[in-house]
């Protein structure tokens, strides 16, 4: 039997300097792919033009290179791929799976009365625009540009996450019809990530578990577009001592900052390995980690990043 090569990826949004939580996801994705002798791709998720900066992108490349996390192939850049997203949208449109939505955020919040159904997209979309007539659509288009929504399929979506185990979500009940193109004309994350992972032949997606609730939506898009879905592995996030997830503004854990303090990458890798069940915190090299990588040791609970431990691990105090 010929085993297809594993293809993993890291898909950062250059909206700030990478902190050690982002870097840990990159490292684990890289390790998963390299330990299997597979390819590892980078994709720049810069659809949110207002928040992305060229400087953050430069820092990101430098961070990854400094750690030794190399990538194969030229990275896809989402802001250059709108044509591809439009093609996918047109395919869904031909199948009657998309409709224009003229609702404002406030209208949606007002219309959503149910206490349940609060997803990461906000309240469940109640389907206000799901059955507009052609006349209503052209009339409303005069005053407001529409967003486009995918008609979420009814029923439970099930999948097995390689780390978090069996997952189930009723997308229609929890999220409702979801946006594939925003009203500012930009493709949504959900659509772009599916189209791009499929276009790149990604077989394994490893990312933070903040995106675990998005996966059922993405699986519905894969099915509707007739695309094969990858395997998923969601790692619990790294939290700060306040219990909140590390944010790109948390300077202490920005990799660029640590690089500037002159510590060798092996110290940072040691810390990331300790956060991943792959080491005791002492300095470690990438080849040693490749040899050591196993999915079943990855923690299933959030890791708390303590600044004191960080300073110790880096020999900074
Ligand atoms: N661009 C997303 C982020 O930075 C990650 C998307 C993904 O891995 O699917 O959070």
């Amino acid at each position: 039997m010929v085993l297809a090569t594993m293809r993993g990826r890291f898909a950062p949004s250059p909206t700030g300097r990478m902190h050690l939580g982002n870097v840990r996801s990159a490292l684990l994705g890289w390790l998963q792919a390299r330990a299997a002798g597979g390819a590892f791709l980078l994709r720049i998720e810069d659809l949110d033009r207002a928040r992305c900066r060229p400087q953050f992108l430069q820092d990101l490349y430098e961070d990854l290179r400094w750690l030794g996390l190399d990538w194969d192939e030229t990275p896809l850049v989402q802001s250059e791929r709108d044509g591809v997203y439009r093609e996918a949208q047109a395919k869904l449109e031909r199948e009657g799976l998309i409709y224009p939505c003229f609702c404002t955020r406030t209208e949606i919040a007002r219309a959503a009365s149910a206490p349940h159904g609060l997803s990461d997209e906000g309240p469940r979309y109640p389907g206000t625009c799901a059955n507009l007539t052609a006349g209503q659509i052209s009339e409303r288009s005069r005053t407001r540009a529409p967003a486009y929504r995918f008609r979420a399929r009814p029923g439970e979506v099930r999948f097995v996450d390689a780390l978090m185990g069996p997952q189930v979500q009723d997308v229609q009940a929890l999220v409702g019809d979801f946006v594939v193109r925003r009203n500012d004309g930009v493709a949504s994350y959900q659509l772009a990530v599916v189209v791009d992972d499929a276009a790149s032949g990604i077989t394994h997606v490893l990312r933070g578990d903040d995106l675990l609730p998005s996966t059922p939506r993405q699986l519905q898009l894969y099915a509707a577009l007739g695309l094969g879905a990858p395997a998923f592995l969601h790692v619990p996030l790294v939290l700060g001592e306040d219990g909140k997830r590390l944010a790109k503004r948390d300077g202490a854990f920005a990799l660029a900052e640590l690089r500037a303090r002159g510590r060798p990458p092996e110290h940072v890798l040691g810390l990331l390995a300790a956060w991943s069940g792959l080491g005791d915190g002492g300095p470690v090299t990438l080849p040693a980690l490749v040899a050591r990588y196993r999915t079943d040791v990855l923690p299933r609970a959030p890791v708390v990043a303590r600044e004191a431990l960080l300073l110790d691990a880096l020999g900074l105090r």
Side-chain angles (χ1 to χ4, degrees), residues 9 11-13 45 189 193 207 211:
R9 51 69 157 184
S13 303
E45 301 213 326
Y189 157 69
V193 77
R207 60 189 176 191
L211 292 168

Side-chain angles (χ1 to χ4, degrees), residues 36-298:
F40 185 69
L41 277 61
L42 184 63
R43 177 173 69 241
I44 308 306
E45 301 213 326
D46 59 348
L47 289 178
D48 196 348
R49 302 301 294 155
R51 290 176 59 221
C52 293
R53 303 252 184 290
Q55 184 56 51
F56 294 143
L57 186 57
Q58 284 320 310
D59 285 349
L60 194 142
Y61 287 135
E62 271 171 47
D63 282 348
L64 295 176
R65 287 201 186 100
W66 181 78
L67 277 176
L69 303 181
D70 59 347
W71 56 90
D72 304 299
E73 305 176 14
T74 307
L76 293 186
V77 179
Q78 290 195 324
S79 59
E80 297 168 0
R81 292 179 51 76
D82 196 49
V84 188
Y85 308 141
R86 285 194 186 271
E87 270 169 40
Q89 188 180 332
K91 180 169 169 29
L92 297 173
E93 221 149 353
R94 284 195 294 277
E95 310 202 1
L97 291 172
I98 298 256
Y99 62 85
C101 166
F102 299 89
C103 296
T104 62
R105 264 174 215 277
T106 327
E107 282 162 352
I108 297 170
R110 225 183 285 134
S113 49
H116 62 279
L118 192 68
S119 74
D120 50 306
E121 289 210 356
R124 174 181 179 273
Y125 182 65
T128 318
C129 294
N131 300 300
L132 297 180
T133 62
Q136 287 170 317
I137 292 174
S138 68
E139 151 103 41
R140 294 199 193 168
S141 302
R142 271 187 232 131
T143 49
R144 186 177 165 85
Y148 288 87
R149 289 184 184 268
F150 174 75
R151 294 185 193 276
R153 313 285 78 207
E156 289 174 341
V157 176
R158 291 173 185 275
F159 71 100
V160 179
D161 185 89
L163 182 63
M164 306 305 273
Q167 305 291 319
V168 55
Q169 188 190 98
D170 185 330
V171 177
Q172 182 49 262
L174 182 73
V175 185
D177 299 337
F178 57 88
V179 172
V180 290
R181 184 166 298 272
R182 303 175 344 195
N183 116 306
D184 62 3
V186 178
S188 76
Y189 157 69
Q190 307 293 354
L191 181 68
V193 77
V194 166
V195 168
D196 285 349
D197 279 335
S200 301
I202 298 302
T203 61
H204 289 71
V205 167
L206 186 152
R207 60 189 176 191
D209 73 352
D210 52 329
L211 292 168
L212 189 57
S214 284
T215 306
R217 262 167 277 168
Q218 294 169 17
L219 288 170
Q220 289 206 337
L221 289 178
Y222 278 107
L225 290 166
L227 300 169
F232 290 95
L233 190 162
H234 290 88
V235 279
L237 295 180
V238 179
L239 307 179
E241 282 176 78
D242 57 2
K244 297 206 189 105
R245 57 200 252 200
L246 289 188
K248 286 181 174 146
R249 62 181 176 278
D250 291 342
F253 294 103
L255 186 61
E257 192 107 335
L258 302 175
R259 274 200 279 125
R261 290 171 88 159
R263 305 311 295 177
E266 287 73 23
H267 285 69
V268 174
L269 290 173
L271 184 71
L272 298 173
W275 285 349
S276 309
L278 293 166
D280 59 9
V284 66
T285 63
L286 273 182
L289 283 177
V290 170
R292 210 183 277 175
Y293 177 79
R294 283 176 25 201
T295 298
D296 57 358
V297 300
L298 302 180

